[in-house]
Amino acid sequence: MFDWSDSWSVVWSFFWIFAFIAYLFALFAVISDLFRDHELNGWWKALWIVLLVFLPFFTVLAYLIARGSGMERRANRESQQAQAAVENYIRGVARQASPAEEIATAKSLVDSGTISQQEFEAIKARALA
């Protein structure tokens, strides 16, 4: 497969392996951006996919030149949405009721008859632990 006896052929082989892997990353970035873009018509998406099948290298290059700035905007918007979701989740988890609030809520549930006295004691013990 490869002639590993010559050091330059090794360097050349690593170069082509790197180039192929870089191409695969670009190809998957283009495909994921095509499906992420909700403003692009379905027929245009289908055309880009067909071109990717028949002229893969030139189509990836053309897509990156023609729609590269849009790719960046969509990636930034998706990253900001993911960051906002993580921050909202962290805020929701971090804001837990204090032991006094939990006991007060449990006391109101006991007074209304929703939970029993034993359940109230268990909640109180867990809150104070």
Side-chain angles (χ1 to χ4, degrees), residues 1-126:
M1 184 168 153
F2 294 110
D3 179 22
W4 295 100
S5 61
D6 183 20
S7 63
W8 281 110
S9 66
V10 172
V11 170
W12 196 243
S13 297
F14 275 116
F15 169 76
W16 283 112
I17 291 170
F18 172 78
F20 180 70
I21 292 172
Y23 165 73
L24 286 178
F25 273 100
L27 178 68
F28 288 119
V30 166
I31 291 172
S32 66
D33 184 65
L34 272 173
F35 290 106
R36 184 186 308 136
D37 187 6
H38 299 292
E39 298 171 1
L40 188 64
N41 187 345
W43 289 106
W44 283 107
K45 290 179 184 182
L47 178 65
W48 279 111
I49 295 293
V50 167
L51 288 173
L52 280 171
V53 170
F54 291 110
L55 297 168
F57 179 75
F58 295 113
T59 305
V60 167
L61 189 61
Y63 190 89
L64 292 174
I65 291 170
R67 299 182 46 91
S69 62
M71 286 178 71
E72 180 184 2
R73 282 193 308 272
R74 284 183 290 281
N76 285 339
R77 182 177 55 228
E78 186 174 306
S79 173
Q80 289 171 352
Q81 289 173 349
Q83 181 68 28
V86 167
E87 288 174 0
N88 286 338
Y89 173 75
I90 290 172
R91 279 192 204 103
V93 170
R95 195 218 165 275
Q96 294 180 353
S98 68
E101 290 173 340
E102 285 187 41
I103 294 171
T105 303
K107 179 66 176 157
S108 66
L109 291 173
V110 167
D111 293 341
S112 68
T114 306
I115 62 173
S116 67
Q117 187 63 33
Q118 294 83 10
E119 291 172 320
F120 169 72
E121 294 299 329
I123 292 172
K124 182 178 172 183
R126 188 181 69 229

